[in-house]
Amino acid sequence: MHILVVEDEVRLARHISRALINAGHEAVVLHDGESALTATSRSRFDLIILDVMLPGIDGFEVLRRLRKAHVDSRVIILTARGEVTDRVAGLSFGADDYLAKPFAMQELVARVIALGRRYAEKAPIKLELSDLVLDLTNNELHRGTRKIELSVRELTLLRVLMREPGRVFTRTELCEKVWEREHEYDMKLVEVFISRLRRKIDSPPLIHTVRHLGYTMREEP
Ligand code: CA
C-alpha cells in the first residue's frame, strides 16, 4: 500500500516507515499537519497513519479537513496512552482505527494488514500499463498471460513507478521510496533493481531511462 505517516517525533516516524517498507509497503513520512494536507491534495494514499499531537494543526483537525475534502484514504490515528476521549473523537472524525502510544511495531503492521484486507474486499485494485497488470490485492503480476514472480523490493519499485506512469523519478527519490536510504552507494542499487525488473518484465520496453534525470514507466506510442 501507499502509506503516509504523519508523526512529529522523527525517530518514531522513521521506525514506523521502516517497518512498513519492510512489510512491503511504500511510506512517505511528514512531520506536521500542514504538509500532510498538501501531500494528500496532490497524491492519493491508501492509508494515513496520523499522530494526534502534532505541532500547528493537530491530527484531529487534519482528519476533519481530509474528510471534508472527501479524501477517502483509510486513517489510523496514534493517540496518547489511555486517552479514551481521543479515541472516541478520532473515530467520530472518521478514523478507521486507532492505536495508543506506546505500541509495538508488530501491532501497527498487523493493523495495517487488517485494514488493507478490509479495503481489498471492498475494492480490488489493479495497476495497469499496456499489457502489464499488477494486482495490488495479492501482488500478482502478469505481462499478457505470463505470470511473473518478483521479490518484495522489486515489487515495491514497480508499484512506485506504475502508480504514476509518465512521471520521471530520480534515483534518489526511488532510493528513498523503496529503501529509505540516501547514500551514494545506494544509487547503484536502484540501477541493479531497474535492470532486474527490465529483465523480468520489459519486452517490449515499458521502463525508460531519462538521461541525467532518472526513470519513468510509460507505453511508447
Ligand atoms: Ca506527536
Side-chain angles (χ1 to χ4, degrees):
M1 282 192 284
H2 191 215
I3 304 176
L4 174 63
V5 179
V6 191
E7 166 60 72
D8 60 314
E9 289 164 55
V10 177
R11 283 190 56 185
L12 176 60
R14 193 159 261 271
H15 280 311
I16 294 174
S17 84
R18 210 165 275 159
L20 295 172
I21 289 172
N22 288 335
H25 302 286
E26 302 125 60
V28 173
V29 174
L30 295 171
H31 303 296
D32 65 273
E34 287 282 0
S35 34
L37 289 170
T38 310
T40 49
S41 69
R42 287 189 188 144
S43 42
R44 195 195 170 280
F45 295 92
D46 300 310
L47 173 68
I48 303 170
I49 296 173
L50 181 62
D51 184 31
V52 169
M53 297 288 283
L54 291 169
I57 318 170
D58 73 10
F60 291 140
E61 182 58 20
V62 172
L63 182 55
R64 203 185 60 78
R65 291 195 201 175
L66 287 176
R67 293 310 189 213
K68 202 175 160 211
H70 305 292
V71 171
D72 66 348
S73 313
R74 282 143 299 152
V75 175
I76 298 179
I77 53 167
L78 304 179
T79 66
R81 182 172 46 172
E83 292 292 332
V84 178
T85 46
D86 274 9
R87 287 178 221 164
V88 173
L91 296 175
S92 71
F93 283 133
D96 298 276
D97 202 353
Y98 62 84
L99 203 53
K101 286 181 176 179
F103 52 83
M105 275 312 145
Q106 284 163 307
E107 173 69 12
L108 178 69
V109 171
R111 301 287 184 95
V112 168
I113 292 170
L115 271 181
R117 206 175 291 132
R118 250 159 64 191
Y119 184 72
E121 280 163 13
K122 272 192 282 175
I125 291 181
K126 285 178 181 174
L127 296 177
E128 292 183 47
L129 186 62
S130 176
D131 59 345
L132 184 70
V133 181
L134 175 59
D135 187 332
L136 294 173
T137 59
N138 53 13
N139 281 328
E140 273 190 15
L141 179 68
H142 286 87
R143 181 95 202 233
T145 52
R146 186 165 64 97
K147 189 178 173 192
I148 303 165
E149 301 287 345
L150 294 184
S151 71
V152 172
R153 297 284 163 172
E154 288 165 357
L155 264 173
T156 309
L157 177 60
L158 182 67
R159 276 202 308 263
V160 169
L161 292 166
M162 280 185 84
R163 258 182 225 288
E164 295 176 78
R167 175 171 157 202
V168 180
F169 290 89
T170 65
R171 288 175 182 76
T172 315
E173 215 177 336
L174 291 174
C175 241
E176 284 168 5
K177 283 179 186 286
V178 181
W179 291 275
E180 215 208 344
R181 295 178 196 164
E182 292 152 24
H183 307 298
E184 194 63 34
Y185 147 81
D186 294 300
M187 300 301 136
K188 210 70 199 158
L189 202 60
V190 176
E191 285 164 29
V192 169
F193 272 75
I194 288 282
S195 58
R196 279 198 210 164
L197 276 185
R198 280 188 166 138
R199 224 167 29 238
K200 289 187 179 178
I201 66 171
D202 223 16
S203 170
L206 293 171
I207 302 173
H208 305 276
T209 305
V210 182
R211 254 190 106 190
H212 304 306
L213 286 175
Y215 301 100
T216 186
M217 272 188 92
R218 61 166 180 267
E219 201 176 349
E220 292 288 82

